[in-house]
Structure formats: structure tokens, C-alpha cells
Amino acid sequence: EALLVESGGGLVQPGGSLRLSCVASGFGISTFDMNWVRQAPGKGLEWISHISPNSGVMSYADSVKGRFTISRDNAKNSLYLQMNNLRDEDTALYYCVRRFDHWGQGAQVTVSS
Amino acid sequence: EIVLTQSPGTLSLSPGERATLSCRASQSISSSSLGWYQQRPGQAPRLLIYGGSNRAAAVPDRFSGSGSGTDFSLTITRLDPEDFAVYYCQQYGASPYNFGQGTRLEI
């Protein structure tokens, strides 16, 4: 069974940084596009970043471009999201998503002073 | 950037009834790049339909997707109590891979 487990969330002050990790099990990520999707409290889904299997293509939503960096380590079966210069509006549950067919349970990020 | 608009915002129906949810794109998209997701309270989203009309694994056949160009729909025949949730459409053909704002299906 394909499983994605996020970690690294928490409470951070505005302007701070966090790094989310996502470890996959039950399958190898090396052949899959991977994504991060977030959901602010009580709101809808927002796609924020994508990375191709060999890391050759990366894309970002305008809301995070220049502040967030997606990366992956296929040997460790892991996906990452480095989040810098965090803002209040980045408060959300962050999902690691394989293509768009398998979703993790999410990591909570709260940005507040 | 492709914007997806879902309607209605909320749909109130009863178990056993039929639901039709709409997703309209701001420009034409390939049906092969349109997906539908279900999100129950407190749970992660679940892929229901990919490629516009293909059911994902373990999705009951009462769920069906259709459409082309800018107009797509998700139909749920014979609503089951577990179907009352929020539904999102998404296009994944061109970045940004935007989602619609969601339709809440309530009893």
C-alpha cells in the first residue's frame, strides 16, 4: 500500500523558516511527479509546488514563488519543502501528494507571533 | 492561468438521490487533465476521477465524470450517506495546477 508521511510542521514566527519532509513507503518515488498542496483552516485546496521525477522541472504557485523551494531525494524516497520568510497566510495543513492520486495526512504549519 | 469555478457552492440532497456537480474552466482544457476529489471532514482528499472520466481505484461505480472543453461534471447516482462531503475539481495539464473552490454536498 502506498503511504506518504509528512513531518516538520510546527509553530513559527512571521519571517521564520521551516522544512517539511515527506517519506514514502510501499512504492518508490523515483518515477513519479510529486506535489505539495496546502489547505488553510476552513478553506479549499491550494496547489503550491510540483517537481518532476528527475528534479529537472519544478514549478510554484505565485503565492509561494521565491520563498519556498521543493526538492527530492529519490534514494531516500523523500520529498521536501523548504519554506522561508513565512507569513501569517501560510498557516495551513500541507499535504505531500504523489502525482495527484495518493495523498499524505498532512503536516500542520502555523505562522503566528 | 486557468481558473476553475465550481457550482453550486452547496448542494442539499437526500440519500438515494442523484447529484450533479459542475466545474467550469476559464479556458479550454484537455479532459485528460481534469480530476475530481472527495474530502470528508478531518480527512485528506481522495482522488475519485482522473482524466475527466476514469474512476480511480476502489471508487464505486455510482461516481462518474464527464465533459470537455470548458465544462465538466461529476455525477453521483444513488447518494450514500458516506458521499456527503466536499468535492473539488482540478486541472493538472498546465501549471499552476489549480483547484476549484469546492462544492459542499450536504444532507
Side-chain angles (χ1 to χ4, degrees):
Chain A
E1 178 191 0
L3 200 61
L4 297 163
V5 179
E6 302 91 341
S7 61
L11 174 64
V12 62
Q13 292 188 336
S17 298
L18 278 177
R19 187 193 194 210
L20 299 183
S21 299
C22 169
V23 178
S25 59
F27 73 101
I29 71 166
S30 63
T31 60
F32 291 95
D33 291 86
M34 299 293 293
N35 295 270
W36 288 99
V37 175
R38 70 183 181 184
Q39 187 168 36
K43 302 297 184 182
L45 302 173
E46 180 188 16
W47 169 84
I48 56 170
S49 189
H50 155 266
I51 187 168
S52 63
N54 65 358
S55 301
V57 176
M58 290 171 277
S59 56
Y60 299 92
D62 285 348
S63 58
V64 305
K65 198 173 295 183
R67 299 187 299 123
F68 290 12
T69 303
I70 191 171
S71 62
R72 63 193 294 159
D73 186 334
N74 290 339
K76 294 183 177 180
N77 227 25
S78 296
L79 177 73
Y80 306 100
L81 186 68
Q82 177 66 43
M83 304 184 294
N84 296 331
N85 191 19
L86 283 159
R87 306 168 179 167
D88 290 351
E89 56 265 34
D90 295 319
T91 294
L93 189 61
Y94 285 72
Y95 293 103
C96 168
V97 189
R98 183 189 87 171
R99 243 177 346 210
F100 289 106
D101 60 356
H102 277 85
W103 296 61
Q105 288 303 303
Q108 180 65 44
V109 172
T110 302
V111 184
S112 175
S113 54
Chain B
E1 175 175 341
I2 299 171
V3 176
L4 299 180
T5 303
Q6 293 185 240
S7 60
T10 302
L11 186 57
S12 299
L13 292 170
S14 300
E17 291 191 300
R18 176 190 183 99
T20 301
L21 286 64
S22 173
C23 177
R24 177 163 290 177
S26 59
Q27 58 187 272
S28 183
I29 61 174
S30 169
S31 60
S32 64
S33 302
L34 195 286
W36 288 93
Y37 305 83
Q38 176 193 67
Q39 188 176 33
R40 296 176 177 138
Q43 295 187 14
R46 166 198 180 196
L47 176 67
L48 293 176
I49 301 289
Y50 65 94
S53 60
N54 303 291
R55 275 188 299 277
V59 174
D61 61 7
R62 63 179 181 273
F63 290 89
S64 63
S66 63
S68 63
T70 60
D71 290 304
F72 298 87
S73 62
L74 174 71
T75 299
I76 314 169
T77 58
R78 304 181 310 279
L79 282 167
D80 187 273
E82 67 180 11
D83 299 336
F84 292 91
V86 180
Y87 292 83
Y88 297 92
C89 61
Q90 184 208 19
Q91 70 81 23
Y92 43 83
S95 179
Y97 304 131
N98 290 333
F99 291 88
Q101 82 279 19
T103 290
R104 179 178 302 278
L105 179 55
E106 63 177 28
I107 298 178

